[in-house]
Amino acid sequence: MSSSSFGIHTTQLNFGWNPQSPILNGCDLAVPQGQFWMLLGDNGCGKSTLLRLIGGILSPDEGSIKIDSPLGFVFQNPDHQLVMPTVAADIAFGLVEEKLTLPEVKMRVKEALLAVNLLDLERRPIYALSGGQKQRIAIAGAIARHCKVLLLDEPTALLDPDTQIELVALVQKIVKERGITALWVTHRLEELAYADGYFLLEKGKVIKQGKPQDLFPQLSRENNIKDTMKR
């Protein structure tokens, strides 16, 4: 597969806050265009740092990043990115740089809210939303901007189990319908069932990747071993 077939492609990324403690160490990763992949790994392995490098929030010390644009980024805590008082105003705020007419902005807002099944909340104050609704609005902001790539940093971390599954299923549906390339950071293995593929990050580099169904038998064996050891 040529590099032009990837929506996200990093090559030999190195990053650290100081040379003695590198966070990423020659990290290579490629997500095929229009697919939904997940990034796994233990706490401190560099998952969120890698996502911020891909999203342009941080700059690598070495290496290259190629990514389709425009780009959308959904943080773990939606309160860190929803800045306007109402749902429609917040989504419209992300369109300011595109210099659209007012009818075009309204159309984009409605289109995005329809995609996340929240059109009836168009005038709702942000503070009156649930955590799951806030994450959907953050995703709607990316859809309104017609983003080709969506990065999600543990977006279900603050949600209850039912809402977690609703959100990952929604993102899977949006990715398939709109041809978006998505990379989702998670530590919840049940979310893997909705992905096209996964990357396993360890000590700042991808050590394994593949289809989620190939990982499930291994995880099942490991869990059985742990259960046996507890007895």
Coordinates of all heavy atoms in Angstrom, one line a residue, residues 10 25 68 70 105 122 127 179 184 202 207:
T10 N 3.0 8.2 10.2 CA 4.2 8.7 10.9 C 5.4 7.8 10.6 O 5.3 6.6 10.5 CB 4.0 8.8 12.4 OG1 4.0 7.5 13.0 CG2 2.6 9.4 12.7
N25 N 10.1 6.7 20.6 CA 11.4 6.3 20.1 C 11.4 5.5 18.8 O 11.1 4.3 18.7 CB 12.0 5.4 21.2 CG 13.4 4.9 20.9 OD1 14.1 5.5 20.1 ND2 13.8 3.8 21.5
D68 N -3.9 13.6 6.3 CA -4.9 14.3 5.5 C -5.6 15.5 6.3 O -5.7 15.4 7.5 CB -6.1 13.4 5.0 CG -5.6 12.3 4.0 OD1 -4.5 12.6 3.4 OD2 -6.2 11.3 3.9
P70 N -8.8 18.6 6.3 CA -8.7 19.1 7.7 C -8.8 18.0 8.8 O -9.2 16.9 8.5 CB -9.8 20.1 7.9 CG -10.8 19.6 6.9 CD -10.1 19.1 5.7
V105 N -23.3 28.1 7.2 CA -23.0 27.8 8.6 C -24.1 27.0 9.2 O -23.9 25.9 9.8 CB -22.6 29.0 9.4 CG1 -22.5 28.6 10.9 CG2 -21.3 29.6 9.0
E122 N -30.0 21.6 19.5 CA -29.3 22.7 18.8 C -29.2 23.9 19.7 O -28.2 24.6 19.7 CB -30.0 23.0 17.5 CG -29.3 24.0 16.6 CD -30.0 24.2 15.3 OE1 -31.1 23.6 15.1 OE2 -29.4 24.9 14.4
Y127 N -23.7 23.7 29.3 CA -23.7 23.2 30.7 C -24.8 22.2 31.0 O -24.7 21.4 32.0 CB -23.7 24.4 31.7 CG -25.1 25.0 31.8 CD1 -26.1 24.5 32.6 CD2 -25.3 26.2 31.1 CE1 -27.4 25.1 32.6 CE2 -26.6 26.9 31.2 CZ -27.6 26.3 31.9 OH -28.8 26.9 32.0
G179 N -16.2 8.2 5.2 CA -14.9 7.9 4.7 C -13.8 8.6 5.5 O -12.7 9.0 4.9
W184 N -8.2 6.2 17.5 CA -8.9 6.3 18.8 C -8.0 5.7 19.9 O -7.6 4.5 19.8 CB -10.2 5.6 18.7 CG -11.0 5.3 19.9 CD1 -10.7 4.5 21.0 CD2 -12.4 5.7 20.1 NE1 -11.7 4.5 21.9 CE2 -12.8 5.2 21.4 CE3 -13.3 6.4 19.4 CZ2 -14.1 5.3 21.9 CZ3 -14.6 6.6 19.9 CH2 -15.0 6.1 21.1
E202 N 4.4 0.3 23.0 CA 5.2 0.0 24.2 C 6.6 0.7 24.1 O 7.3 0.6 23.1 CB 5.4 -1.5 24.2 CG 6.2 -2.0 25.5 CD 6.3 -3.5 25.5 OE1 5.2 -4.2 25.6 OE2 7.4 -4.0 25.4
I207 N 4.8 -1.9 18.7 CA 5.4 -3.3 18.7 C 4.6 -4.3 18.0 O 5.0 -5.4 17.7 CB 5.8 -3.7 20.1 CG1 4.6 -3.8 21.0 CG2 6.8 -2.7 20.7 CD1 4.8 -4.6 22.2

